[in-house]
Amino acid sequence: MTSIFAAILLGIGVLFNLFGCIGLVRLPDVYNRLQSATKCVTLGTCSILLSVLIYYGFNSIGVKALIAIPLLFFSATVAAHALARGSYQFGIRLGEKTVVDHYKDRKTLEEGGKNEISEDKRDQGSTGIPVHTGIHK
Amino acid sequence: MTEFLNILLYIQIGLVLLCLYRIVRGPSIADRMVGIDIFGILVVGICAIIAIQTDRMFILDIGIAWIILSFVGTLSLAKYLGGRRLND
């Protein structure tokens, strides 16, 4: 009985990994790719580790899988958030179908209501995407 | 059960190849970083499936160490990309 339940959880985990990697290949923008891939692959891998815990019970190997689950949750989410914030500050532009940009408004509010963001002389990450005229300069 | 585990292991290795496609053919540098991050999470699933197949416990230790190293590497690359300051 526990073997059948562990096999079902293992199949669910690999299926979520498959959906996340299809999103990683086919979505058009950096932020869309990071959203899809991080959420789906984190849930799928945690499901695989939970199936290891159910298959072995509370032995030495099952407890190691139980330790690995919160580590994976917190590390993957914090890394994805830092990566999104860093890639926005580097100057990688949003996709051409993106309409709203809350982070730019927050930055302009923190700078005292100026309507322009101070430009650095760094390389503006060549995405090959045409600039949307309503959002970025 | 063993044939089922073999099929899932082959599917997972194919997903690693999809991540390598994104790493090679990403337009910008952040795309390659996302690919490296997802690659580091998928290897943990491969380690767990091999640990079920062979009944050995040290392979899951390799997975836990891989989680921590991937986390530190992605954070350092993201801070390098965001700017030169580390006191944000």
Side-chain angles (χ1 to χ4, degrees):
Chain A
M1 182 63 198
T2 59
S3 175
I4 294 171
F5 192 57
I8 290 171
L9 272 180
L10 201 62
I12 288 172
V14 176
L15 199 66
F16 268 103
N17 285 338
L18 176 66
F19 291 156
C21 285
I22 288 172
L24 178 67
V25 171
R26 288 188 60 87
L27 284 173
D29 192 11
V30 180
Y31 305 101
N32 299 118
R33 284 166 193 158
L34 203 146
Q35 179 79 250
S36 163
T38 305
K39 287 196 293 186
C40 293
V41 173
T42 305
L43 184 64
T45 309
C46 286
S47 176
I48 290 173
L49 290 172
L50 190 65
S51 78
V52 173
L53 173 65
I54 288 171
Y55 185 73
Y56 282 103
F58 285 95
N59 296 328
S60 58
I61 182 166
V63 173
K64 279 175 186 175
L66 183 63
I67 289 170
I69 290 171
L71 258 174
L72 185 64
F73 263 115
F74 293 115
S75 72
T77 47
V78 169
H81 177 80
L83 195 55
R85 190 169 177 270
S87 65
Y88 190 89
Q89 286 180 355
F90 184 68
I92 290 171
R93 297 181 180 89
L94 277 74
E96 59 183 355
K97 290 184 180 179
T98 307
V99 176
V100 68
D101 188 5
H102 288 291
Y103 190 58
K104 181 187 173 187
D105 302 334
R106 184 168 177 175
K107 279 176 73 175
T108 53
L109 279 177
E110 285 177 355
E111 288 176 357
K114 289 187 293 183
N115 288 323
E116 58 185 0
I117 296 173
S118 61
E119 274 193 351
D120 294 335
K121 295 296 182 182
R122 285 178 300 188
D123 189 11
Q124 295 286 325
S126 62
T127 56
I129 298 171
V131 181
H132 190 273
T133 57
I135 297 171
H136 287 278
K137 290 188 295 183
Chain B
M1 189 70 184
T2 58
E3 294 177 355
F4 180 69
L5 285 177
N6 279 325
I7 290 169
L8 290 186
L9 189 63
Y10 293 153
I11 291 172
Q12 195 90 3
I13 292 171
L15 297 183
V16 168
L17 291 179
L18 285 181
C19 280
L20 285 178
Y21 170 78
R22 177 52 62 198
I23 291 170
V24 171
R25 192 182 278 273
S28 67
I29 182 139
D31 289 323
R32 295 184 172 94
M33 285 189 185
V34 172
I36 290 168
D37 190 11
I38 303 305
F39 176 81
I41 300 173
L42 283 176
V43 169
V44 181
I46 291 175
C47 287
I49 294 173
I50 294 174
I52 293 177
Q53 272 191 353
T54 60
D55 282 335
R56 297 187 187 276
M57 79 170 74
F58 66 92
I59 300 174
L60 213 53
D61 289 332
I62 296 170
I64 294 171
W66 198 291
I67 291 171
I68 299 167
L69 286 176
S70 172
F71 170 61
V72 175
T74 309
L75 265 187
S76 61
L77 284 175
K79 293 301 286 184
Y80 167 72
L81 192 67
R84 289 186 299 272
R85 301 183 308 275
L86 289 178
N87 52 2
D88 284 336

